[in-house]
Amino acid sequence: MLGALLFWPILTLLPQGAAPQVTATAQVASSDRSRRSTAEEQLVVTELSKVRLHPKEYAKWLRTQLKYFEGTLWRLPEHSPIRTEEGAPALQELIEFLEGIQPVGPLRWNEGLSHAARELVLEQGPTGQTGHKGPKGSTMQDRILKCGLYQSIIGEIINYGDEKPRWTVMQLLIDDGYPSRGHRKNIFTADFHMAGAAIGPHAEYGSMTTVDLADDFTANPELQELVKPLGLTLGQTPSDH
């Protein structure tokens, strides 16, 4: 696991089925909940799509970052040093994984899923809490169903810490300190076709990024006017940003 003060990735998968828990949500200005996603939020999903589409190109870029390890300390240029648990071997393992895996399809931006992700950011951020459950008990399924309907599976990634989109995705992929590499495996789940992200302040870690994913998702009518697919140039590689 990379330094907890810099990130804390979490992802769960949930099949359609169980009845959602009904809870109250924190009182946050309606303008925050109704706003359109930002360019930075969309870039998180772009970066996830890039690595799914071009894993070998991503591996080439990551290989250039190996030389900055000093034991378990990762001294990246223009970045605060990151204290890891496993050091360079975890990054080397990721590189080998990316070199051997076949590409999967991109993630299409979905504004409804972005709104669901924002629900957690707005509820949890001011409290400094972490995890998938909101301060008043809301679950991932609660928040997603509040914004629309999914077909069969959903997932959620949470990253705590102020990072650029590429580094957020990279840390989730390395999955330092998690032997199962569950975050990495789920990022490459081919059944996910749509995603939406939200970024906001967090009382403990400065910032948090939440990404909600689904195989298919239809936003509620009141959100339809905000739905705007994110364009992705398939020829882009991680070095393009």
Side-chain angles (χ1 to χ4, degrees), residues 25 28-38 41-42 45 109-123 138-148 156 195-199 210-213 217-228:
T25 57
V28 182
S30 59
S31 59
D32 290 334
R33 283 196 162 86
S34 62
R35 71 167 176 83
R36 187 184 292 277
S37 58
T38 66
E41 289 167 340
Q42 294 187 7
V45 175
W109 176 265
N110 187 284
E111 198 73 31
L113 288 171
S114 175
H115 273 67
R118 188 169 299 116
E119 288 288 328
L120 181 62
V121 171
L122 293 175
E123 291 176 22
S138 69
T139 66
M140 171 182 64
Q141 190 180 41
D142 293 335
R143 296 184 293 271
I144 289 178
L145 288 178
K146 180 178 179 180
C147 296
E156 185 169 82
I199 301 172
T210 301
V211 182
D212 283 348
L213 308 99
F217 188 79
T218 302
N220 290 336
E222 62 269 24
L223 296 178
Q224 287 292 343
E225 62 185 45
L226 293 177
V227 174
K228 182 179 182 181

Side-chain angles (χ1 to χ4, degrees), residues 17 64 76 90 113 122 126 153 207 225:
T64 66
L76 293 159
L113 288 171
L122 293 175
I153 63 169
S207 180
E225 62 185 45

Side-chain angles (χ1 to χ4, degrees), residues 1 69 71-72 84-90 93 174-179 181:
M1 176 178 176
F69 270 101
T72 58
T84 70
E85 291 188 24
E86 302 176 60
E93 179 195 310
I174 294 173
D175 223 357
D176 179 64
Y178 293 90
R181 308 301 192 215

Side-chain angles (χ1 to χ4, degrees), residues 64-196:
T64 66
Q65 309 303 307
L66 278 169
K67 61 186 177 184
Y68 299 115
F69 270 101
E70 298 177 5
T72 58
L73 190 63
W74 202 4
R75 295 187 179 277
L76 293 159
E78 300 180 3
H79 195 289
S80 299
I82 301 174
R83 176 66 66 184
T84 70
E85 291 188 24
E86 302 176 60
L91 179 56
Q92 180 63 48
E93 179 195 310
L94 170 60
I95 292 169
E96 294 171 0
F97 171 86
L98 294 174
E99 289 174 339
I101 197 169
Q102 292 300 312
V104 295
L107 294 167
R108 299 193 303 277
W109 176 265
N110 187 284
E111 198 73 31
L113 288 171
S114 175
H115 273 67
R118 188 169 299 116
E119 288 288 328
L120 181 62
V121 171
L122 293 175
E123 291 176 22
Q124 190 182 83
T127 71
Q129 297 178 15
T130 60
H132 293 285
K133 183 172 286 189
K136 295 187 178 181
S138 69
T139 66
M140 171 182 64
Q141 190 180 41
D142 293 335
R143 296 184 293 271
I144 289 178
L145 288 178
K146 180 178 179 180
C147 296
L149 295 174
Y150 64 94
Q151 183 172 326
S152 59
I153 63 169
I154 51 177
E156 185 169 82
I157 301 171
I158 310 172
N159 188 78
Y160 296 98
D162 188 11
E163 292 287 355
K164 293 182 178 180
R166 183 190 299 178
W167 291 102
T168 292
V169 172
M170 181 198 66
Q171 291 176 1
L172 288 163
L173 286 165
I174 294 173
D175 223 357
D176 179 64
Y178 293 90
S180 68
R181 308 301 192 215
H183 308 104
R184 180 191 307 171
K185 292 175 182 176
N186 282 298
I187 287 172
F188 277 90
T189 296
D191 288 337
F192 284 139
H193 303 297
M194 294 184 173

